[in-house]
Amino acid sequence: MTSVPTRVKTTLSFRTVGAVYVWLVIVVLFSVWAPDTFPTAITVKQVLNGNAVAGLVALSVVPPLAARVFDLSVAYTMSLTSVLTAHFLVSTGLGPFTAIALAMAAALLVGVVNALVVVVLRVDSFIATLATGALIQSLITMVTNDSSITGVQLLAKPFASIAQLDAGGITLPVLYLLLAALAIWFVLEHTATGRRLYATGFNADAARLQGVRTDRLRFATLVASALLSGFAGVVFASSVGSGSPTAGSPYLLSAYAAAFVGATQLRAGRFNAWGTVIAVLLLGTGITGLGLATSAQWAASLFTGSVLIVALVLTGGRIALPTALRRRAGKLPDPAQPEGSTDDESRAVPAGGTRA
């Protein structure tokens, strides 16, 4: 049985939470660079409040990725619910709860369509959800004519309170982010459904032979992904007071970047909720710091790309390296030998993608 000091050392090791240490380095760097503006409570609130929606979108792709499915329509779904909520509130005079319900019904429909195309029709998820996204964008253009929808109804309570109500400077979207992460963490880590999702992602054929209903699980993850990204769109509309036809566009790349960086944290090789939240806040801290340090406009993109590469190399590359070293030392069987190895790390998700 592993001793307590050993478990603590493993939990806090760079191998387990490397991104946290990168995050701390970023905090120290900007505290030195901008000592008057960065190391303040206001900055902490700004990082949390400003990245809550990004975190919701990033979490929306975690369940599908755990089951080895890509949902590239999340950004379009977010934009769709943003403009539909605004449209129903401003143009039709519906109440906020009815408008939100209709927008979320549209998100549910998107999830079902994605699931039918991917699971039932057996179209590759990468291509299918990208095509679905193009269809959603055409609907958005038809509703908005590529113009943001604004109106006093979007600025009035109770709709505005969905994202703008705060306690001690921390807005409600931060609570939504924590609740979503808690729910996904519980399902993936503490239920049989979560274990079956991971089994489906690692090796769908083997899981199917063990009686796991892989198709049903993939169907459910695509529906859940659409609902969560759709909710992010509603929160975004409440936050900015308008329905933007491009609300989700900036979030797609960052969502997948956070999910893949998060897969190297806490539960190495597995897409997980808290690792994704850490990655979102890491990127958000750096971008906020650059803004407070009045850096060049291009610096934010340079920072994001650089941190992603460094984080994936330092915390993701370690997944395969120890396995290779132990195999060279003769502690693991060679992959050319007959099957029999049960090494968990050999089945881990590489930094650049998933593997069945």
Side-chain angles (χ1 to χ4, degrees):
M1 184 175 180
T2 307
S3 64
V4 173
T6 301
R7 288 199 299 269
V8 172
K9 182 179 178 181
T10 302
T11 301
L12 299 179
S13 69
F14 191 85
R15 290 166 51 87
T16 305
V17 289
V20 173
Y21 297 114
V22 174
W23 188 9
L24 292 175
V25 170
I26 292 172
V27 170
V28 172
L29 174 63
F30 284 111
S31 296
V32 174
W33 188 358
D36 296 329
T37 55
F38 184 80
T40 65
I42 295 176
T43 301
V44 174
K45 296 173 184 177
Q46 184 177 347
V47 170
L48 292 173
N49 295 334
N51 291 280
V53 172
L56 288 173
V57 180
L59 286 175
S60 74
V61 305
V62 170
L65 286 175
R68 202 166 178 260
V69 176
F70 285 89
D71 185 359
L72 299 183
S73 67
V74 290
Y76 302 98
T77 305
M78 176 183 170
S79 298
L80 178 65
T81 54
S82 171
V83 298
L84 285 182
T85 303
H87 172 74
F88 289 134
L89 278 172
V90 175
S91 302
T92 66
L94 294 175
F97 297 107
T98 305
I100 292 171
L102 291 174
M104 291 302 296
L108 175 62
L109 179 61
V110 170
V112 171
V113 170
N114 280 338
L116 289 173
V117 174
V118 172
V119 177
V120 179
L121 300 182
R122 303 293 179 184
V123 178
D124 181 82
S125 62
F126 196 96
I127 299 172
T129 55
L130 192 61
T132 303
L135 295 176
I136 296 172
Q137 188 59 52
S138 66
L139 177 60
I140 292 172
T141 302
M142 182 178 67
V143 172
T144 65
N145 198 26
D146 283 334
S147 299
S148 295
I149 300 175
T150 58
V152 294
Q153 297 90 335
L154 298 170
L155 303 174
K157 295 180 180 180
F159 182 73
S161 300
I162 293 174
Q164 298 179 26
L165 192 65
D166 70 275
I170 304 298
T171 57
L172 276 180
V174 177
L175 176 61
Y176 305 150
L177 174 63
L178 294 176
L179 290 176
L182 184 64
I184 293 173
W185 165 78
F186 180 79
V187 171
L188 291 180
E189 303 294 341
H190 294 280
T191 68
T193 299
R195 293 191 291 273
R196 290 164 184 157
L197 273 175
Y198 281 132
T200 300
F202 284 135
N203 193 321
D205 292 333
R208 194 178 299 110
L209 290 174
Q210 293 296 320
V212 176
R213 297 181 177 180
T214 56
D215 286 347
R216 179 178 295 184
L217 289 173
R218 287 175 168 169
F219 194 107
T221 61
L222 286 168
V223 173
S225 176
L227 288 173
L228 187 52
S229 59
F231 178 68
V234 174
V235 174
F236 180 86
S238 174
S239 177
V240 302
S242 68
S244 172
T246 59
S249 299
Y251 293 103
L252 182 60
L253 179 60
S254 62
Y256 274 91
F260 275 94
V261 172
T264 67
Q265 303 302 300
L266 306 178
R267 299 284 289 171
R270 296 186 178 189
F271 293 99
N272 64 88
W274 296 119
T276 301
V277 172
I278 290 172
V280 168
L281 295 179
L282 183 156
L283 294 173
T285 300
I287 293 173
T288 300
L290 287 171
L292 293 175
T294 61
S295 59
Q297 192 172 20
W298 47 262
S301 297
L302 177 64
F303 167 80
T304 300
S306 300
V307 168
L308 288 177
I309 292 173
V310 171
L312 288 172
V313 169
L314 294 182
T315 62
R318 61 169 170 76
I319 296 176
L321 182 59
T323 302
L325 292 176
R326 289 198 300 275
R327 181 176 290 120
R328 182 174 298 179
K331 295 179 180 180
L332 287 176
D334 189 88
Q337 298 298 322
E339 293 184 8
S341 172
T342 59
D343 180 48
D344 288 336
E345 289 184 344
S346 67
R347 295 181 285 114
V349 180
T354 56
R355 180 168 61 188

